[in-house]
């Protein structure tokens, strides 16, 4: 309940939404970083045709919508009804798009579906203990499937569980959610420990004029 309130509050603090077009004039696109029109795109998830893809913490659905337009089955999970209402309003008519208001761990414990790719962009993987999240993801992935996620790099020396504060408009006491910060080497070790192979975790340079990069991780589910 606390996380739902926190992410609803976050959504209300940042009204509006996705631009109608990106710099290339595309009406849907995929962005891993906190900067518009920067970094790699959906190719990070691989090139399987008609794949079944799961986004953990899909927010207002922009990235997921792009996945759906490519002909994939695109399943999104988010705890915030405010975020999902915005996603449904803009993208609800897209074939292949499916949205669930659930916690990521709850959804994965209940689904019988298996996915070719699972991803998170500044989403649930950042805000859930990897000791719980990574085994849950592995259980819902097809052998050889792609796991990918992005988040802010850690502050030097501040690793493991950290606090993120979300300010409320009329309340001086912020809401608090937990996040998990690790270096690329730490994430690499965690991914291997939980059954993922060929992990590649790196910090991408920021967009021009900015100082903070983006941590991007990619690995394959074992067995394929």
């Amino acid at each position: 309940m606390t996380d739902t309130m926190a992410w609803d509050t976050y959504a209300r603090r940042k009204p509006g939404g996705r631009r109608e077009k990106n710099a290339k004039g595309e009406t849907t696109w995929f962005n891993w970083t906190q900067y518009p029109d920067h970094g790699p795109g959906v190719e990070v998830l691989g090139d399987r045709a008609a794949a079944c893809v799961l986004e953990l913490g899909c927010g207002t659905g922009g990235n997921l919508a792009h996945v759906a337009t490519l002909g994939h089955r695109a399943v999104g999970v988010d705890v915030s009804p405010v975020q999902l209402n915005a996603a449904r309003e803009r993208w609800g008519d897209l074939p292949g798009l499916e949205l669930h208001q659930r916690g990521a761990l709850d959804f994965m414990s209940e689904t019988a579906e298996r996915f070719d790719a699972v991803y998170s962009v500044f989403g649930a993987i950042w805000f859930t203990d990897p000791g719980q999240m990574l085994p849950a993801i592995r259980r819902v992935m097809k052998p050889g499937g792609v796991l990918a996620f992005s988040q802010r790099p850690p502050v030097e020396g501040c690793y493991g569980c950290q606090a993120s504060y979300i300010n409320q408009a009329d309340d001086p006491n912020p809401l608090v959610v937990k996040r998990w910060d690790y270096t690329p080497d730490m994430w690499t070790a965690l991914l291997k420990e939980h059954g993922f192979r060929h992990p590649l975790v790196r910090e991408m340079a920021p967009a021009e004029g900015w100082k903070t990069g983006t941590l991007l991780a990619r690995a394959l589910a074992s067995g394929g």
Side-chain angles (χ1 to χ4, degrees):
M1 181 62 70
T2 300
D3 281 359
T4 298
M5 182 184 301
W7 294 119
D8 278 350
T9 300
Y10 175 84
R12 293 188 183 103
R13 278 182 47 216
K14 295 200 171 183
R18 198 171 173 85
R19 296 167 294 155
E20 293 298 323
K21 294 182 180 180
N22 68 359
K24 296 180 180 179
E26 300 163 326
T27 55
T28 67
W29 62 94
F30 201 108
N31 192 46
W32 292 98
T33 82
Q34 60 270 52
Y35 308 109
D37 308 319
H38 174 70
V42 72
E43 68 275 5
V44 172
L45 298 178
D47 57 1
R48 295 191 185 191
C52 187
V53 178
L54 173 64
E55 180 174 6
L56 302 175
C58 63
T60 56
N63 284 328
L64 196 67
H66 184 67
V67 171
T69 63
L70 298 177
H72 304 307
R73 174 166 161 73
V75 179
V77 179
D78 203 284
V79 297
S80 168
V82 173
Q83 298 270 49
L84 289 177
N85 286 341
R88 291 188 180 102
E89 183 177 349
R90 181 155 184 187
W91 310 112
D93 293 334
L94 278 179
L97 183 69
E98 183 178 305
L99 300 169
H100 298 268
Q101 190 204 333
R102 298 288 286 156
L105 292 176
D106 290 340
F107 176 83
M108 289 187 289
S109 72
E110 297 166 0
T111 185
E113 195 159 6
R114 295 297 175 261
F115 297 92
D116 297 291
V118 177
Y119 74 92
S120 172
V121 178
F122 289 68
I125 292 179
W126 195 12
F127 297 100
T128 310
D129 182 348
Q132 296 179 283
M133 178 61 84
L134 294 179
I137 293 172
R138 180 64 195 89
R139 285 194 299 271
V140 302
M141 292 187 72
K142 296 178 183 178
V146 176
L147 167 64
F149 59 92
S150 62
Q151 59 191 62
R152 287 184 184 273
V155 174
E156 185 175 358
C158 298
Y159 309 127
C161 186
Q162 308 290 317
S164 287
Y165 299 95
I166 298 176
N167 293 321
Q168 304 181 78
D170 301 319
D171 190 334
N173 300 306
L175 296 166
V176 181
V177 294
K178 297 176 181 178
R179 69 177 195 274
W180 276 261
D181 289 344
Y182 296 101
T183 66
D185 286 345
M186 291 173 179
W187 271 118
T188 297
L190 284 166
L191 288 162
K192 289 180 177 178
E193 177 185 343
H194 291 289
F196 294 91
R197 57 192 179 88
H198 305 309
L200 176 61
V201 188
R202 61 190 177 97
E203 183 176 335
M204 295 187 295
E208 186 176 355
W210 295 88
K211 295 182 179 180
T212 303
T214 306
L215 187 146
L216 178 64
R218 186 183 190 274
L220 302 180
S222 58

